Amino acid sequence: MRHRTIIAGFCVVAALCVSPPAYASATGCTGNPGSNGSKCIDVKGTKLHVDTVKTTLTKNHADDCGKATITIGSSWKRTSAKICEARDFSWGPITVNKSFPDGTKACASWSNYPDGKACITIHD
């Protein structure tokens, strides 16, 4: 039987992150729409296997275009083309279809709001 768990992650700055486990699927967010934007990463999968990943950026005001970057450990990284939206930016879901070592971090960042990133940790 598979269980789906959604757990929020929090990352204030790149060097200070608290990443909850992603036992099946998880969403991690940081920031808020009124200041540095609310950045989220959504990972779908089971235990150590990641099926897809998606990221969003939500702001209370219109902003410049930006690119999203998603990394999973040191072996998987993708960067979007320029995304131009008024307040709600979204990229994905992107097919990953790969297993990662226990404890691997998955993070998402946005070039138009580079302070901080949303992260989760993949656990068995």
Side-chain angles (χ1 to χ4, degrees):
M1 183 163 118
R2 291 184 180 166
H3 296 281
R4 294 202 169 254
T5 306
I6 297 177
I7 302 172
F10 180 71
C11 184
V12 178
V13 293
L16 178 63
C17 297
V18 177
S19 302
Y23 291 106
S25 297
T27 299
C29 296
T30 187
N32 67 69
S35 63
N36 63 345
S38 174
K39 301 167 202 83
C40 294
I41 184 170
D42 184 37
V43 177
K44 302 283 187 213
T46 305
K47 294 192 178 187
L48 302 177
H49 185 81
V50 175
D51 296 325
T52 63
V53 65
K54 176 181 179 179
T55 184
T56 57
L57 169 64
T58 304
K59 302 174 308 321
N60 285 343
H61 57 282
D63 194 26
D64 296 331
C65 301
K67 292 182 179 183
T69 298
I70 299 173
T71 58
I72 305 174
S74 59
S75 65
W76 195 93
K77 180 179 179 179
R78 301 290 185 275
T79 300
S80 72
K82 193 178 287 187
I83 301 171
C84 299
E85 300 294 334
R87 291 175 173 82
D88 296 313
F89 294 67
S90 181
W91 186 47
I94 302 153
T95 300
V96 177
N97 195 27
K98 183 177 176 181
S99 292
F100 295 89
D102 190 26
T104 299
K105 283 185 136 185
C107 297
S109 61
W110 288 83
S111 65
N112 50 337
Y113 274 86
D115 58 331
K117 55 186 172 180
C119 296
I120 59 95
T121 299
I122 299 167
H123 283 291
D124 188 9

